[in-house]
Amino acid sequence: MTAPTVAATATAVATTTARVELLIGGAWVPVCDWSHLTPGRGVAVLLPDGGQAAVFRDRHDRVYAIANRDPFTGAQVLSRGLLGTAGSRPYVASPLLKQRFDLAGGVCLDDEQVRIPAYTARVRH
């Protein structure tokens, strides 16, 4: 008696990974996969010049990017901060001294004379 033969076929499914890109020096630079971003959290990414940016995905799937360096302490920690809103302005609060930075423009909401770089971000499918 012979065992029945089962033929299996594999179907390749084309998948595309959405990428987060930042506008740096007039060019779009991919910095991470969309899947690495959790709503309400941030990730640190390395920039072409060796610097760091903090990339955030809010709970409405909007993406923001600012410098990762906290100007009050010099530590690369803003990607670990807590997201919130002040009125309609989305911000991240530094995990160290709790200063809040506007995610759209980089201005410190607690000391408007302090500003960090903010980057234009997009998700490319």
Side-chain angles (χ1 to χ4, degrees):
M1 190 165 172
T2 60
T5 306
V6 177
T9 58
T11 305
V13 177
T15 59
T16 57
T17 301
R19 303 274 299 167
V20 177
E21 298 178 340
L22 303 184
L23 186 60
I24 299 172
W28 289 102
V29 176
V31 293
C32 71
D33 289 343
W34 173 252
S35 63
H36 292 158
L37 297 176
T38 301
R41 307 283 306 266
V43 298
V45 299
L46 191 60
L47 300 176
D49 67 359
Q52 292 184 27
V55 179
F56 300 93
R57 174 181 173 186
D58 72 9
R59 298 193 190 281
H60 303 287
D61 287 341
R62 291 179 293 231
V63 179
Y64 301 94
I66 58 172
N68 196 34
R69 184 178 175 277
D70 180 336
F72 292 95
T73 65
Q76 302 279 357
V77 295
L78 292 181
S79 63
R80 302 284 184 179
L82 298 175
L83 295 185
T85 56
S88 63
R89 295 172 79 173
Y91 69 80
V92 62
S94 172
L96 298 179
L97 300 177
K98 310 301 183 230
Q99 284 90 355
R100 299 168 301 151
F101 296 92
D102 177 28
L103 291 174
V107 68
C108 179
L109 301 179
D110 303 299
D111 183 349
E112 293 195 358
Q113 293 186 18
V114 177
R115 179 180 300 269
I116 60 174
Y119 303 94
T120 301
R122 73 177 183 187
V123 178
R124 179 125 183 171
H125 298 277

